[in-house]
Amino acid sequence: MSHYINESESIFSPRQCLENRGRVAIFIDGSNLFYAALHLEIEIDYTKLLRYLTADSRLLRSFFYTGVDRSNEKQQGFLLWMSRNGYRVISKDLVHLPNGSTKANLDIEIAVDMMSLVKSYDTAVLLSGDGDLTYAVNAMSYQGVRIEVVSLRSMTSDSLINVADRYTDLDTIKENIQKIPRRSTAQCLESVYQTI
């Protein structure tokens, strides 16, 4: 069983960790994040997410990798919003499998982008739990890059956690990155009347 250091066990304070980050590049596996959010029963606020992952560091670029269904107008609108609000969207058409499911594996794209930009940033924040990325992440650490992995623990490979300099479980930060549910008019009126 793997043991990972969480925020409370770290030998460095959160402030020291932030001070040592330098230029930050963020790599988000959209599919992995989508399923993690479903598991946590939250809706991600992508503005809050970007702010949280960047913290007070200098952001080089934030990449968002996802499979796309060209006929899905809602998804197209979401990706357009992402590209206009701080994210570089990298997409690949979904492949329809014989069993009726769809898939778009972007591990290669994530690994290539992380490696090709390795001289341009000091800290890589990888939002994925995919163990297939372990080899690339480990190779980057030998280039002097600090590796931070953020993902849901139950969906994260031990091998990926083991090569990271810092691991954060999404479950521990969900309040910082989720959308605040809109209250209905009835709920708003109810809270007004309770104060009268």
Side-chain angles (χ1 to χ4, degrees):
M1 183 175 179
S2 173
H3 177 72
Y4 62 91
I5 296 175
N6 65 28
E7 297 294 322
S8 62
E9 297 173 331
S10 177
I11 58 173
F12 298 107
S13 71
R15 182 175 176 83
Q16 286 174 306
C17 289
L18 289 177
E19 287 172 352
N20 295 329
R21 293 176 94 205
R23 293 164 302 173
V24 173
I26 299 169
F27 304 89
I28 300 173
D29 179 339
S31 176
N32 196 276
L33 180 58
F34 172 77
Y35 287 110
L38 278 181
H39 182 82
L40 293 171
E41 299 179 349
I42 63 170
E43 188 175 351
I44 302 292
D45 181 324
Y46 286 91
T47 302
K48 284 184 180 178
L49 177 67
L50 187 56
R51 195 176 306 129
Y52 184 87
L53 295 178
T54 306
D56 291 321
S57 304
R58 286 175 43 213
L59 177 65
L60 171 72
R61 185 158 288 150
S62 178
F63 296 92
F64 184 82
Y65 301 84
T66 187
V68 294
D69 175 359
R70 303 286 174 195
S71 64
N72 185 333
E73 289 184 20
K74 187 175 179 182
Q75 184 187 42
Q76 296 301 314
F78 166 72
L79 295 178
L80 180 60
W81 183 91
M82 292 287 280
S83 66
R84 292 179 176 174
N85 287 277
Y87 293 90
R88 175 74 54 91
V89 176
I90 312 298
S91 62
K92 182 189 277 188
D93 287 343
L94 289 169
V95 175
H96 296 275
L97 301 174
N99 65 5
S101 64
T102 56
K103 185 177 182 178
N105 192 334
L106 285 108
D107 293 346
I108 298 295
E109 288 81 355
I110 294 172
V112 168
D113 287 347
M114 290 178 87
M115 293 299 293
S116 62
L117 292 168
V118 77
K119 299 296 183 192
S120 302
Y121 59 86
D122 305 296
T123 298
V125 179
L126 174 63
L127 211 153
S128 177
D130 194 334
D132 291 343
L133 294 167
T134 301
Y135 190 80
V137 166
N138 197 40
M140 286 168 35
S141 69
Y142 283 108
Q143 298 288 319
V145 172
R146 175 185 165 83
I147 309 295
E148 297 179 8
V149 172
V150 180
S151 56
L152 187 62
R153 182 63 187 98
S154 61
M155 296 172 56
T156 306
S157 165
D158 285 346
S159 63
L160 192 56
I161 292 173
N162 292 340
V163 297
D165 295 299
R166 183 179 183 201
Y167 172 75
T168 303
D169 186 342
L170 274 173
D171 191 34
T172 65
I173 64 167
K174 63 184 179 185
E175 287 79 17
N176 299 310
I177 61 169
Q178 70 181 341
K179 282 188 178 178
I180 305 298
R182 291 186 181 175
R183 291 169 36 155
S184 70
T185 305
Q187 289 173 318
C188 291
L189 286 173
E190 184 180 331
S191 63
V192 167
Y193 286 121
Q194 286 176 349
T195 60
I196 295 176

